[in-house]
Amino acid sequence: MRLFKSLIALCVILSISVADAADWRDKLREKIPESKRLLLVLNDDDEIQVGRQVTANLLGVAPLVKDDGLQRYVNTVGRWVATGSERPDLPWHFGVIDSADVNAFSAPGGYVLITRGLYASLSDEGELAGVLGHEITHVVERHQVELMRKAMLLEEGRKAIEKRLSGDKDELVKRLVGNGAELFARRLDQDAEFEADRQGAVLAARAGYGPYGLPAVLQKIASVAKTDDRVQLLYKTHPAPEERLRMLDAVMGPEFYKYDRPNAGGKLYPLR
Ligand SMILES: [Zn+2]
């Protein structure tokens, strides 16, 4: 009998929370216009604030390579590629971090980092432009913001939404950064990765490098053994390079050859 009562109590609790969920969803619909409902309600300044914090957290663990010339160079190339994107006015920041891993990261608001290990594997500036174009696309399309939003909805649900509606932006940014602490080790949607590859190749081409830098880098990554420590995180956070190449090939096809600019890559700033 006691068990029966507890079961009824549980059912009541469950039905209340389901009704509640429907209720706050309705409230949300009333207060947030259709166009903004799917996006986190963050303006560029909020995004920059979140990205700066998350990037500072990462740099605490993996600092920048101590070579001002190298950092200046990567910023020059990155900003040039970002100029052709749909968010050219973000305060873009690029950097090479001191890690033997082969990887690249980005955070909301225009923060892009690549590892020394990945930089060392590049053959020319066109390949760098392709890699940066991929990360720039994650920022432009707000892929991380969307990931954070989903995580926040899952983890904090109604509480977070209410906070958001109350307009406490500082609190919201704190929560997002909290969720974003492990952002760099999280996997984005596969579709977001394929979109970043596609769009990254387009951005590199638009910047005058030709579209084949990124596929060339993916080929190099595919040739590294999957068990190699340096690519472990990359494999965890991205689809396999062979799969990415297949997807790129399907969209690029022969059409892209006309944008090819052999030797347009130019020399890379040498690593010390
Ligand atoms: Zn990516």
Side-chain angles (χ1 to χ4, degrees), residues 134-135 138 193 238:
H134 173 104
E135 297 304 328
H138 282 319
E193 293 303 342
H238 285 77

Side-chain angles (χ1 to χ4, degrees), residues 80-158:
W80 172 241
V81 176
T83 302
S85 78
E86 279 159 40
R87 301 178 78 187
D89 296 329
L90 284 177
W92 292 94
H93 290 87
F94 299 83
V96 183
I97 55 172
D98 204 355
S99 158
D101 254 48
V102 173
N103 217 338
F105 310 94
S106 49
Y111 292 85
V112 175
L113 297 169
I114 92 165
T115 61
R116 181 171 41 79
L118 177 54
Y119 188 90
S121 77
L122 303 175
S123 310
D124 62 31
E125 202 171 280
E127 294 187 6
L128 174 64
V131 169
L132 298 180
H134 173 104
E135 297 304 328
I136 288 168
T137 302
H138 282 319
V139 175
V140 168
E141 298 297 330
R142 299 182 175 83
H143 288 153
Q144 286 92 353
V145 174
E146 181 60 13
L147 184 75
M148 290 169 155
R149 189 187 72 89
K150 278 186 192 152
M152 194 167 76
L153 284 176
L154 281 177
E155 288 163 27
E156 311 224 10
R158 175 182 169 175

Side-chain angles (χ1 to χ4, degrees), residues 22-36:
D23 189 40
W24 70 253
R25 233 180 283 125
D26 287 346
K27 279 194 185 133
L28 197 62
R29 284 217 176 88
E30 283 164 25
K31 295 193 181 180
I32 303 180
E34 177 74 35
S35 57
K36 287 198 170 167

Side-chain angles (χ1 to χ4, degrees), residues 39-230:
L39 279 175
L40 190 66
V41 192
L42 286 184
N43 60 28
D44 284 1
D45 287 345
D46 299 321
E47 258 190 71
I48 293 162
Q49 203 185 331
V50 170
R52 193 188 300 134
Q53 289 273 335
V54 172
T55 306
N57 292 351
L58 181 74
L59 289 178
V61 189
L64 291 172
V65 172
K66 287 192 182 68
D67 181 343
D68 290 347
L70 172 68
Q71 305 298 352
R72 252 198 316 274
Y73 167 73
V74 172
N75 271 282
T76 306
V77 175
R79 283 173 190 178
W80 172 241
V81 176
T83 302
S85 78
E86 279 159 40
R87 301 178 78 187
D89 296 329
L90 284 177
W92 292 94
H93 290 87
F94 299 83
V96 183
I97 55 172
D98 204 355
S99 158
D101 254 48
V102 173
N103 217 338
F105 310 94
S106 49
Y111 292 85
V112 175
L113 297 169
I114 92 165
T115 61
R116 181 171 41 79
L118 177 54
Y119 188 90
S121 77
L122 303 175
S123 310
D124 62 31
E125 202 171 280
E127 294 187 6
L128 174 64
V131 169
L132 298 180
H134 173 104
E135 297 304 328
I136 288 168
T137 302
H138 282 319
V139 175
V140 168
E141 298 297 330
R142 299 182 175 83
H143 288 153
Q144 286 92 353
V145 174
E146 181 60 13
L147 184 75
M148 290 169 155
R149 189 187 72 89
K150 278 186 192 152
M152 194 167 76
L153 284 176
L154 281 177
E155 288 163 27
E156 311 224 10
R158 175 182 169 175
K159 222 170 51 188
I161 296 292
E162 279 174 353
K163 277 270 181 208
R164 164 143 53 113
L165 292 180
S166 76
D168 188 348
K169 276 283 176 69
D170 283 351
E171 180 63 24
L172 173 63
V173 167
K174 245 185 271 161
R175 277 161 190 267
L176 281 173
V177 172
N179 281 323
E182 46 169 298
L183 175 83
F184 290 108
R186 274 223 180 108
R187 199 186 171 98
L188 293 170
D189 282 351
Q190 291 233 350
D191 288 347
E193 293 303 342
F194 296 138
E195 183 183 18
D197 283 342
R198 242 175 10 243
Q199 205 46 35
V202 170
L203 286 178
R206 224 178 254 167
Y209 294 102
Y212 292 101
L214 184 60
V217 178
L218 290 173
Q219 254 149 19
K220 283 179 203 172
I221 295 170
S223 71
V224 178
K226 277 189 184 111
T227 48
D228 192 314
D229 277 353
R230 293 171 303 154

